[in-house]
Amino acid sequence: MTEGADRGGNALYGPQPDVSGAAGYPDAPPRVGFFTDTSVCIGCKACEVACKEWNAIPEDGLELTGMSYDNTRGLGADTWRHVAFVEQSGPSGGPEVTGDVDVFAAASRLGTAAEPAGPVPLVSPDGRTELRWLMSSDVCKHCTHAGCLDVCPTGSLFRTEFGTVVVQQDICNGCGYCVPACPYGVIGRREGDGRVWKCTLCYDRLGVGLEPACAKSCPTDSIQFGPLDELRERARERVARLHAAGVTDARLYGESPEDGVGGAGAFFLLLDEPEVYGLPPDPQVTTRDLPAMWRHAAAAAVTLAALVLGSCARRKR
Amino acid sequence: MSGSDVTRDGVRGARPGRDAVTGGRAGRRGRRGGRGERPVVPEAEFGSYYGLPVISKPPWEPLDIAGYLYLGGLAGASSLLAAGARLTGRPGLAAPARTAAAGAISLSLAALVHDLGRPARFLYMLRVCKPTSPMSVGSWLLAAYAPLTLTAAATAVAGRYRLLGAAATAGAAVLGPAVATYTAVLLSDTAVPSWHEGHRELPFVFAGSAAGAAAGLALAVAPAGQAGPARRLAVLGTALELGAFHTMKRRMGLAARPFGQGRAGLLVRAAELLSAGGAVLSLCSARDRRLAVAAGAALLAGSAALRFGVFDAGVVSAEDPVYTVLPQRERLEARGSRP
């Protein structure tokens, strides 16, 4: 772990406090990212639509999956924001609902001193507790140690001054190596184009001081954009509030700089295990093991040479 | 909202299996009926998002990329064999090995370019040199190695420029082993479980398999009197391949399962039988020309089946979330980060 950190700009693994600086931006602006708070996601897909509109992403098949309201299945070349719909039977993770709840009255008290400190009853029509929907808008994680960027043989994937990861479309040669290298399955190769595409965190908007299209369009502020440090702080507060309100399932995913990708630039507040949303529980950047891989390959190459020379060395027969 | 169709047993009238199975209750979708196969690990219980894959499978055509891996191995080991044969005065063995190296590397470059779609796109590979990208390292390796093998073959055909030919043969022999083993890093440096988990042993598997293929080709073509090194290399290479492959599968845990199931399982099994059979045949091929050809064909086919089997197993492990989620979940729990 320290092995990576010590090498500064070439760190393959571990925490990296100055991502843009290590990538060669001495006076970089603060690193930005997304905090996606799924506890307030209403599954409206405004983010998916806004992303498609702004980035002019082609249509990716108007098909119904039949499994849920999720008809895009996952992230890929033509889906840079993907709203997952998890339909769960069984008791909801929140506190039991008792009696009627006046949501308008509750909403008018939000953020005021009169807001109840104790467990807040979650709204559940008919008092049912046997079914709940989890909705979550997934996106490229813009990892601190990005596998896609590290394995790209053409340098078409690069780190921006904002600490995000972007593909330069005029340089991508469509080798597709970044696709299986991503531990989250984000980046994809576009049919008929051959090149890879993924979320740019609206690099073109950031440059002129705008927030990304998805965050701009999110009606509930489930998608929050800003300096990463600030978002992490805000996320920790939000988790504490949810825990205090009795939503003990709430947890952050991808925010820790100690994790396998050195902390994701886009992290999430989830209400269940990551795999339930289609996210890997403990992702690791593949380049963590790269020094060992090269060592083993070198040893194997020497072994091969020894085998052949040994075979030839014997007397002529 | 009167009379919900949501019951405690699910949604009334809904198609079965449309619920997202989650948490501890989640299980695998019906496992394909085993043909009496012994499961390597017990049935897994894990959560997933409608059984959809977590990571993306590689977007490569098997014929292009598995073929590329195979031909690269054949070429790399053949270059070595050619140099060894030349050094020890076996022109009858050196010639076919040299030709094989040149032919195989040309075909493997063609496969790579076909995968990229346009020939000019290969040049993009040479924009940068990145040790963190096995594809970049490999491109530079090929850019140096391919001209050397072609020069070695061309000077031999022309029968002139002997010094240049000797230098090219020696250079190709130095780079050959790297060409044969870097492809293992190419596969391992991905999030594909059945490739990544084998990153320690896979280079040795590929080295052994490359040796087997090169020995097989030389055995089938070279005169028996000079094919001694090929016979020994067939046995040594196969032993390395099978030994490393066995160790790899044993140490991989759950990610080893795709190597024993479905098409990948068949290919891997065929590879093991063909390589072992070819190695045994090669031992008794010194007197019989037909036996030598059969042994060579078996070794070549075994090496090819191994590459396609390894490729296929990786794709299977990427398509099924169990191979991504379960080992990671176990790793998390072992660390004790979450109850």
Side-chain angles (χ1 to χ4, degrees):
Chain A
M1 257 161 258
T2 49
E3 173 197 352
D6 289 344
R7 262 179 286 155
N10 289 321
L12 294 171
Y13 187 64
Q16 170 58 271
D18 183 16
V19 175
S20 320
Y25 299 96
D27 304 311
R31 183 181 181 189
V32 295
F34 287 127
F35 165 44
T36 306
D37 178 354
T38 72
S39 70
V40 291
C41 179
I42 56 173
C44 68
K45 303 194 202 190
C47 51
E48 272 194 47
V49 175
C51 175
K52 278 223 180 240
E53 288 276 338
W54 180 264
N55 294 298
I57 306 174
E59 166 274 299
D60 52 354
L62 300 169
E63 289 152 14
L64 301 179
T65 57
M67 65 188 189
S68 76
Y69 293 113
D70 177 2
N71 291 321
T72 30
R73 281 198 176 91
L75 297 172
D78 299 329
T79 309
W80 298 356
R81 266 279 176 192
H82 161 245
V83 181
F85 288 78
V86 182
E87 186 178 352
Q88 287 184 331
S89 43
S92 79
E96 285 294 312
V97 176
T98 45
D100 289 335
V101 180
D102 185 346
V103 286
F104 294 105
S108 68
R109 285 196 300 271
L110 277 178
T112 66
E115 195 180 349
V120 181
L122 293 180
V123 183
S124 178
D126 314 339
R128 277 192 279 111
T129 55
E130 75 269 32
L131 179 110
R132 74 165 174 172
W133 279 99
L134 299 177
M135 285 154 280
S136 166
S137 180
D138 194 12
V139 69
C140 171
K141 315 300 178 289
H142 295 277
C143 309
T144 300
H145 300 291
C148 58
L149 193 161
D150 283 341
V151 306
C152 175
T154 65
S156 86
L157 275 148
F158 75 107
R159 178 82 58 187
T160 73
E161 65 271 36
F162 303 105
T164 58
V165 179
V166 174
V167 189
Q168 298 178 81
Q169 298 304 344
D170 53 340
I171 292 172
C172 174
N173 73 346
C175 73
Y177 196 28
C178 50
V179 176
C182 174
Y184 300 97
V186 168
I187 199 163
R189 185 146 91 166
R190 186 173 286 170
E191 296 277 327
D193 173 297
R195 293 173 297 170
V196 296
W197 302 78
K198 74 167 191 72
C199 163
T200 65
L201 218 141
C202 283
Y203 188 36
D204 50 347
R205 292 173 64 94
L206 298 194
V208 291
L210 294 174
E211 66 177 321
C214 55
K216 184 79 183 169
S217 71
C218 181
T220 63
D221 259 355
S222 169
I223 300 172
Q224 300 177 26
F225 165 80
L228 204 54
D229 294 336
E230 201 182 304
L231 290 177
R232 284 177 175 153
E233 186 60 31
R234 208 185 295 169
R236 277 192 286 273
E237 279 169 23
R238 174 69 183 156
V239 170
R241 269 168 70 96
L242 284 171
H243 282 182
V247 187
T248 49
D249 283 342
R251 84 274 320 261
L252 293 180
Y253 173 80
E255 96 295 356
S256 167
E258 303 290 330
D259 73 10
V261 298
F267 63 97
F268 300 81
L269 186 155
L270 302 178
L271 296 176
D272 204 333
E273 300 294 348
E275 57 266 33
V276 168
Y277 297 87
L279 295 164
D282 184 30
Q284 301 284 338
V285 61
T286 56
T287 44
R288 181 189 65 163
D289 300 318
L290 193 59
M293 289 178 201
W294 284 129
R295 276 200 301 276
H296 283 92
V302 170
T303 309
L304 177 59
L307 287 192
V308 176
L309 296 181
S311 303
C312 293
R314 291 261 306 269
R315 72 193 158 78
K316 246 185 238 185
R317 189 158 61 89
Chain B
M1 229 212 238
S2 58
S4 160
D5 1 77
V6 182
T7 69
R8 223 164 245 293
D9 300 319
V11 184
R12 215 174 289 146
R15 279 184 290 137
R18 67 187 283 278
D19 284 315
V21 280
T22 54
R25 280 166 291 114
R28 290 275 300 107
R29 309 165 260 148
R31 199 154 270 305
R32 331 165 245 288
R35 290 189 210 97
E37 285 161 346
R38 209 157 29 90
V40 183
V41 262
E43 274 310 302
E45 290 258 316
F46 79 109
S48 81
Y49 182 65
Y50 298 96
L52 293 175
V54 172
I55 59 164
S56 300
K57 67 171 181 176
W60 304 318
E61 289 297 321
L63 196 59
D64 288 343
I65 296 304
Y68 168 76
L69 303 176
Y70 167 62
L71 292 166
L74 175 59
S78 289
S79 281
L80 259 175
L81 192 57
R86 198 185 156 116
L87 271 179
T88 55
R90 294 179 172 98
L93 180 62
R98 201 169 43 216
T99 314
I105 206 65
S106 307
L107 282 177
S108 94
L109 279 173
L112 181 61
V113 165
H114 184 255
D115 177 65
L116 296 178
R118 283 185 232 149
R121 281 180 170 175
F122 179 77
L123 297 178
Y124 291 21
M125 296 277 196
L126 307 178
R127 275 185 83 244
V128 290
C129 185
K130 281 168 80 173
T132 60
S133 171
M135 183 90 81
S136 170
V137 173
S139 301
W140 283 102
L141 211 51
L142 287 181
Y145 171 79
L148 287 174
T149 51
L150 295 174
T151 307
T155 51
V157 169
R160 299 167 64 185
Y161 312 113
R162 291 186 58 84
L163 201 64
L164 180 65
T169 306
V174 170
L175 293 180
V179 171
T181 58
Y182 99 86
T183 47
V185 183
L186 189 70
L187 291 189
S188 301
D189 194 24
T190 61
V192 175
S194 292
W195 291 346
H196 186 86
E197 293 305 316
H199 68 261
R200 292 176 197 82
E201 298 86 5
L202 200 58
F204 293 93
V205 177
F206 278 14
S209 167
L217 198 128
L219 207 58
V221 185
Q226 295 190 15
R231 283 191 291 275
R232 287 188 286 274
L233 185 60
V235 175
L236 291 174
T238 301
L240 177 64
E241 171 195 323
L242 296 182
F245 200 37
H246 180 75
T247 314
M248 180 176 106
K249 286 192 282 188
R250 199 162 40 79
R251 295 216 331 212
M252 278 175 110
L254 182 67
R257 192 150 72 181
F259 289 108
Q261 286 179 339
R263 203 166 59 127
L266 279 178
L267 283 167
V268 162
R269 174 46 67 90
E272 287 169 339
L273 289 176
L274 284 166
S275 295
V280 171
L281 269 185
S282 73
L283 282 178
C284 25
S285 68
R287 311 227 181 283
D288 193 334
R289 189 84 207 107
R290 280 167 305 173
L291 269 185
V293 172
L299 286 164
L300 280 168
S303 177
L306 182 97
R307 308 305 169 114
F308 281 85
V310 168
F311 184 87
D312 229 45
V315 172
V316 168
S317 75
E319 279 176 330
D320 193 332
V322 71
Y323 300 111
T324 309
V325 171
L326 207 66
Q328 293 191 13
R329 169 63 43 207
E330 281 164 2
R331 193 163 65 201
L332 260 187
E333 272 153 22
R335 275 212 305 272
S337 335
R338 218 164 262 158

